[in-house]
Short mmCIF file of all heavy atoms in Angstrom, two decimals:
data_model
loop_
_atom_site.label_atom_id
_atom_site.label_comp_id
_atom_site.label_asym_id
_atom_site.label_seq_id
_atom_site.Cartn_x
_atom_site.Cartn_y
_atom_site.Cartn_z
N LYS A 148 -31.10 21.85 -3.01
CA LYS A 148 -31.99 22.14 -4.13
C LYS A 148 -33.39 21.58 -3.89
O LYS A 148 -34.36 22.02 -4.53
CB LYS A 148 -31.41 21.57 -5.42
CG LYS A 148 -30.12 22.27 -5.85
CD LYS A 148 -29.44 21.57 -7.01
CE LYS A 148 -28.10 22.24 -7.33
NZ LYS A 148 -27.35 21.55 -8.38
N LEU A 149 -33.48 20.62 -2.97
CA LEU A 149 -34.79 20.06 -2.60
C LEU A 149 -35.37 20.75 -1.37
O LEU A 149 -36.36 20.29 -0.80
CB LEU A 149 -34.65 18.56 -2.35
CG LEU A 149 -34.23 17.71 -3.57
CD1 LEU A 149 -34.02 16.26 -3.16
CD2 LEU A 149 -35.25 17.81 -4.69
N GLY A 150 -34.73 21.84 -0.95
CA GLY A 150 -35.30 22.66 0.12
C GLY A 150 -34.78 22.41 1.51
O GLY A 150 -35.39 22.83 2.49
N TYR A 151 -33.61 21.73 1.63
CA TYR A 151 -33.08 21.42 2.96
C TYR A 151 -31.88 22.29 3.31
O TYR A 151 -30.97 22.48 2.51
CB TYR A 151 -32.64 19.95 3.02
CG TYR A 151 -33.78 18.96 3.03
CD1 TYR A 151 -34.26 18.42 1.84
CD2 TYR A 151 -34.36 18.55 4.23
CE1 TYR A 151 -35.31 17.51 1.84
CE2 TYR A 151 -35.41 17.63 4.23
CZ TYR A 151 -35.88 17.12 3.04
OH TYR A 151 -36.91 16.21 3.05
N LYS A 152 -31.88 22.79 4.54
CA LYS A 152 -30.69 23.37 5.16
C LYS A 152 -30.02 22.24 5.95
O LYS A 152 -30.66 21.23 6.27
CB LYS A 152 -31.08 24.50 6.10
CG LYS A 152 -31.62 25.74 5.42
CD LYS A 152 -30.49 26.62 4.95
CE LYS A 152 -30.98 28.01 4.57
NZ LYS A 152 -29.88 28.87 4.11
N SER A 153 -28.76 22.43 6.32
CA SER A 153 -28.09 21.32 7.01
C SER A 153 -26.88 21.78 7.79
O SER A 153 -26.37 22.90 7.63
CB SER A 153 -27.66 20.26 5.98
OG SER A 153 -26.76 20.81 5.03
N THR A 154 -26.41 20.87 8.64
CA THR A 154 -25.15 21.02 9.35
C THR A 154 -24.45 19.67 9.34
O THR A 154 -25.11 18.63 9.24
CB THR A 154 -25.35 21.52 10.79
OG1 THR A 154 -24.07 21.76 11.40
CG2 THR A 154 -26.13 20.52 11.64
N PHE A 155 -23.11 19.69 9.45
CA PHE A 155 -22.35 18.45 9.28
C PHE A 155 -21.14 18.47 10.21
O PHE A 155 -20.54 19.53 10.45
CB PHE A 155 -21.88 18.35 7.83
CG PHE A 155 -21.03 17.13 7.52
CD1 PHE A 155 -21.61 15.89 7.33
CD2 PHE A 155 -19.64 17.24 7.41
CE1 PHE A 155 -20.83 14.77 7.04
CE2 PHE A 155 -18.86 16.13 7.13
CZ PHE A 155 -19.47 14.89 6.94
N GLN A 156 -20.79 17.30 10.72
CA GLN A 156 -19.58 17.16 11.52
C GLN A 156 -18.76 15.99 10.98
O GLN A 156 -19.22 14.85 10.95
CB GLN A 156 -19.91 16.90 12.99
CG GLN A 156 -18.69 16.67 13.87
CD GLN A 156 -17.73 17.85 13.90
OE1 GLN A 156 -18.16 18.98 14.12
NE2 GLN A 156 -16.44 17.60 13.69
N MET A 157 -17.56 16.29 10.53
CA MET A 157 -16.67 15.26 10.00
C MET A 157 -16.10 14.41 11.14
O MET A 157 -15.89 14.91 12.25
CB MET A 157 -15.53 15.94 9.23
CG MET A 157 -14.57 15.00 8.55
SD MET A 157 -13.48 15.88 7.38
CE MET A 157 -12.73 17.11 8.45
N LYS A 158 -15.86 13.14 10.85
CA LYS A 158 -15.27 12.23 11.84
C LYS A 158 -13.76 12.41 11.85
O LYS A 158 -13.11 12.36 10.81
CB LYS A 158 -15.62 10.79 11.50
CG LYS A 158 -15.16 9.79 12.55
CD LYS A 158 -15.70 8.40 12.25
CE LYS A 158 -15.37 7.43 13.37
NZ LYS A 158 -15.96 6.09 13.14
N LYS A 159 -13.22 12.63 13.03
CA LYS A 159 -11.77 12.80 13.16
C LYS A 159 -11.08 11.45 12.97
O LYS A 159 -11.51 10.44 13.53
CB LYS A 159 -11.44 13.39 14.54
CG LYS A 159 -10.02 13.88 14.67
CD LYS A 159 -9.83 14.62 15.98
CE LYS A 159 -8.41 15.17 16.09
NZ LYS A 159 -8.19 15.88 17.37
N ASP A 160 -10.04 11.43 12.17
CA ASP A 160 -9.31 10.19 11.87
C ASP A 160 -10.25 9.12 11.33
O ASP A 160 -10.25 7.97 11.78
CB ASP A 160 -8.57 9.67 13.11
CG ASP A 160 -7.44 10.59 13.54
OD1 ASP A 160 -6.88 11.26 12.66
OD2 ASP A 160 -7.15 10.64 14.74
N SER A 161 -11.05 9.50 10.36
CA SER A 161 -12.02 8.58 9.76
C SER A 161 -11.31 7.35 9.19
O SER A 161 -10.29 7.46 8.51
CB SER A 161 -12.78 9.29 8.64
OG SER A 161 -13.49 8.37 7.83
N PRO A 162 -11.86 6.15 9.43
CA PRO A 162 -11.27 4.94 8.86
C PRO A 162 -11.34 4.91 7.33
O PRO A 162 -10.62 4.13 6.70
CB PRO A 162 -12.10 3.81 9.48
CG PRO A 162 -13.38 4.45 9.90
CD PRO A 162 -13.03 5.86 10.28
N CYS A 163 -12.20 5.75 6.74
CA CYS A 163 -12.27 5.82 5.28
C CYS A 163 -10.91 6.17 4.68
O CYS A 163 -10.57 5.72 3.58
CB CYS A 163 -13.30 6.86 4.84
SG CYS A 163 -15.01 6.47 5.26
N LYS A 164 -10.14 6.97 5.42
CA LYS A 164 -8.83 7.40 4.91
C LYS A 164 -7.88 6.23 4.70
O LYS A 164 -7.06 6.25 3.79
CB LYS A 164 -8.19 8.39 5.90
CG LYS A 164 -8.92 9.70 6.07
CD LYS A 164 -8.11 10.66 6.92
CE LYS A 164 -7.77 10.07 8.26
NZ LYS A 164 -6.89 10.95 9.07
N ASP A 165 -8.01 5.21 5.56
CA ASP A 165 -7.11 4.04 5.43
C ASP A 165 -7.27 3.36 4.08
O ASP A 165 -6.33 2.77 3.56
CB ASP A 165 -7.40 3.03 6.54
CG ASP A 165 -6.95 3.52 7.91
OD1 ASP A 165 -6.19 4.51 7.96
OD2 ASP A 165 -7.37 2.93 8.92
N PHE A 166 -8.50 3.45 3.52
CA PHE A 166 -8.78 2.81 2.24
C PHE A 166 -8.60 3.76 1.06
O PHE A 166 -8.90 3.41 -0.09
CB PHE A 166 -10.21 2.26 2.24
CG PHE A 166 -10.44 1.22 3.31
CD1 PHE A 166 -11.14 1.53 4.46
CD2 PHE A 166 -9.95 -0.07 3.16
CE1 PHE A 166 -11.35 0.58 5.45
CE2 PHE A 166 -10.16 -1.03 4.14
CZ PHE A 166 -10.85 -0.70 5.30
N GLY A 167 -8.12 4.99 1.34
CA GLY A 167 -7.86 5.96 0.28
C GLY A 167 -9.06 6.79 -0.12
O GLY A 167 -9.08 7.38 -1.20
N TYR A 168 -10.05 6.87 0.78
CA TYR A 168 -11.27 7.65 0.48
C TYR A 168 -11.39 8.84 1.44
O TYR A 168 -10.62 8.99 2.39
CB TYR A 168 -12.50 6.75 0.56
CG TYR A 168 -12.60 5.80 -0.60
CD1 TYR A 168 -11.94 4.56 -0.57
CD2 TYR A 168 -13.32 6.12 -1.75
CE1 TYR A 168 -12.01 3.68 -1.65
CE2 TYR A 168 -13.39 5.24 -2.83
CZ TYR A 168 -12.73 4.04 -2.77
OH TYR A 168 -12.80 3.18 -3.83
N TYR A 169 -12.38 9.67 1.17
CA TYR A 169 -12.58 10.89 1.94
C TYR A 169 -13.23 10.59 3.29
O TYR A 169 -13.91 9.58 3.47
CB TYR A 169 -13.42 11.88 1.14
CG TYR A 169 -12.80 12.22 -0.19
CD1 TYR A 169 -13.31 11.70 -1.38
CD2 TYR A 169 -11.68 13.04 -0.27
CE1 TYR A 169 -12.72 12.00 -2.60
CE2 TYR A 169 -11.08 13.33 -1.48
CZ TYR A 169 -11.60 12.81 -2.64
OH TYR A 169 -11.02 13.10 -3.85
N SER A 170 -13.04 11.50 4.24
CA SER A 170 -13.55 11.31 5.60
C SER A 170 -15.07 11.36 5.64
O SER A 170 -15.69 12.18 4.96
CB SER A 170 -12.97 12.40 6.52
OG SER A 170 -11.56 12.32 6.56
N ASP A 171 -15.64 10.48 6.45
CA ASP A 171 -17.09 10.49 6.63
C ASP A 171 -17.46 11.28 7.87
O ASP A 171 -16.60 11.75 8.62
CB ASP A 171 -17.63 9.06 6.70
CG ASP A 171 -17.23 8.34 7.99
OD1 ASP A 171 -16.05 8.45 8.38
OD2 ASP A 171 -18.10 7.71 8.61
N GLY A 172 -18.76 11.41 8.08
CA GLY A 172 -19.24 12.14 9.25
C GLY A 172 -20.74 12.00 9.37
O GLY A 172 -21.36 11.15 8.73
N VAL A 173 -21.33 12.84 10.22
CA VAL A 173 -22.77 12.80 10.46
C VAL A 173 -23.36 14.18 10.18
O VAL A 173 -22.67 15.20 10.24
CB VAL A 173 -23.09 12.37 11.91
CG1 VAL A 173 -22.54 10.98 12.19
CG2 VAL A 173 -22.53 13.37 12.93
N GLY A 174 -24.66 14.20 9.88
CA GLY A 174 -25.29 15.48 9.56
C GLY A 174 -26.77 15.50 9.90
O GLY A 174 -27.41 14.46 10.08
N ILE A 175 -27.30 16.71 10.00
CA ILE A 175 -28.73 16.94 10.20
C ILE A 175 -29.22 17.85 9.09
O ILE A 175 -28.60 18.88 8.80
CB ILE A 175 -29.02 17.59 11.57
CG1 ILE A 175 -28.56 16.68 12.71
CG2 ILE A 175 -30.52 17.92 11.73
CD1 ILE A 175 -28.65 17.33 14.09
N PHE A 176 -30.33 17.45 8.46
CA PHE A 176 -30.97 18.25 7.42
C PHE A 176 -32.39 18.59 7.88
O PHE A 176 -33.06 17.76 8.50
CB PHE A 176 -31.06 17.46 6.10
CG PHE A 176 -29.74 17.17 5.46
CD1 PHE A 176 -28.94 16.13 5.93
CD2 PHE A 176 -29.30 17.91 4.37
CE1 PHE A 176 -27.71 15.85 5.34
CE2 PHE A 176 -28.08 17.63 3.76
CZ PHE A 176 -27.29 16.60 4.24
N TRP A 177 -32.84 19.82 7.57
CA TRP A 177 -34.21 20.21 7.91
C TRP A 177 -34.81 21.02 6.76
O TRP A 177 -34.11 21.75 6.07
CB TRP A 177 -34.26 21.00 9.21
CG TRP A 177 -33.46 22.27 9.21
CD1 TRP A 177 -33.90 23.53 8.90
CD2 TRP A 177 -32.05 22.42 9.54
NE1 TRP A 177 -32.88 24.46 9.01
CE2 TRP A 177 -31.74 23.80 9.41
CE3 TRP A 177 -31.05 21.51 9.94
CZ2 TRP A 177 -30.46 24.29 9.65
CZ3 TRP A 177 -29.78 22.02 10.17
CH2 TRP A 177 -29.50 23.37 10.03
N LYS A 178 -36.11 20.84 6.55
CA LYS A 178 -36.79 21.58 5.49
C LYS A 178 -36.85 23.06 5.85
O LYS A 178 -37.39 23.44 6.89
CB LYS A 178 -38.21 21.04 5.27
CG LYS A 178 -38.25 19.74 4.48
CD LYS A 178 -39.69 19.36 4.15
CE LYS A 178 -39.72 18.09 3.27
NZ LYS A 178 -41.10 17.66 2.97
N GLU A 179 -36.29 23.86 4.97
CA GLU A 179 -36.19 25.30 5.22
C GLU A 179 -37.56 25.96 5.36
O GLU A 179 -37.73 26.91 6.12
CB GLU A 179 -35.39 25.96 4.09
CG GLU A 179 -35.06 27.41 4.32
CD GLU A 179 -34.19 27.99 3.23
OE1 GLU A 179 -34.01 27.32 2.19
OE2 GLU A 179 -33.70 29.12 3.42
N GLU A 180 -38.55 25.43 4.64
CA GLU A 180 -39.88 26.04 4.70
C GLU A 180 -40.63 25.65 5.98
O GLU A 180 -41.67 26.23 6.29
CB GLU A 180 -40.71 25.63 3.49
CG GLU A 180 -41.02 24.15 3.40
CD GLU A 180 -41.87 23.78 2.21
OE1 GLU A 180 -42.02 24.62 1.30
OE2 GLU A 180 -42.39 22.65 2.19
N GLU A 181 -40.08 24.68 6.73
CA GLU A 181 -40.77 24.22 7.94
C GLU A 181 -40.07 24.58 9.24
O GLU A 181 -40.71 24.65 10.29
CB GLU A 181 -40.93 22.69 7.89
CG GLU A 181 -41.85 22.21 6.78
CD GLU A 181 -42.09 20.71 6.85
OE1 GLU A 181 -41.87 20.12 7.93
OE2 GLU A 181 -42.49 20.13 5.83
N TRP A 182 -38.74 24.81 9.19
CA TRP A 182 -37.98 25.01 10.43
C TRP A 182 -36.98 26.15 10.29
O TRP A 182 -36.43 26.38 9.21
CB TRP A 182 -37.22 23.74 10.82
CG TRP A 182 -38.06 22.53 10.96
CD1 TRP A 182 -38.31 21.58 10.00
CD2 TRP A 182 -38.80 22.12 12.11
NE1 TRP A 182 -39.15 20.61 10.49
CE2 TRP A 182 -39.46 20.92 11.78
CE3 TRP A 182 -38.95 22.66 13.39
CZ2 TRP A 182 -40.27 20.24 12.70
CZ3 TRP A 182 -39.74 21.98 14.30
CH2 TRP A 182 -40.40 20.79 13.96
#
Side-chain angles (χ1 to χ4, degrees):
K148 293 171 185 176
L149 296 175
Y151 288 92
K152 291 277 194 180
S153 60
T154 185
F155 178 79
Q156 177 61 49
M157 183 168 57
K158 186 173 186 176
K159 193 172 182 180
D160 293 330
S161 166
C163 294
K164 295 187 304 175
D165 289 346
F166 299 104
Y168 287 86
Y169 302 105
S170 299
D171 70 316
V173 300
I175 298 173
F176 293 79
W177 60 93
K178 282 187 176 178
E179 187 176 10
E180 64 179 13
E181 294 186 20
W182 304 95

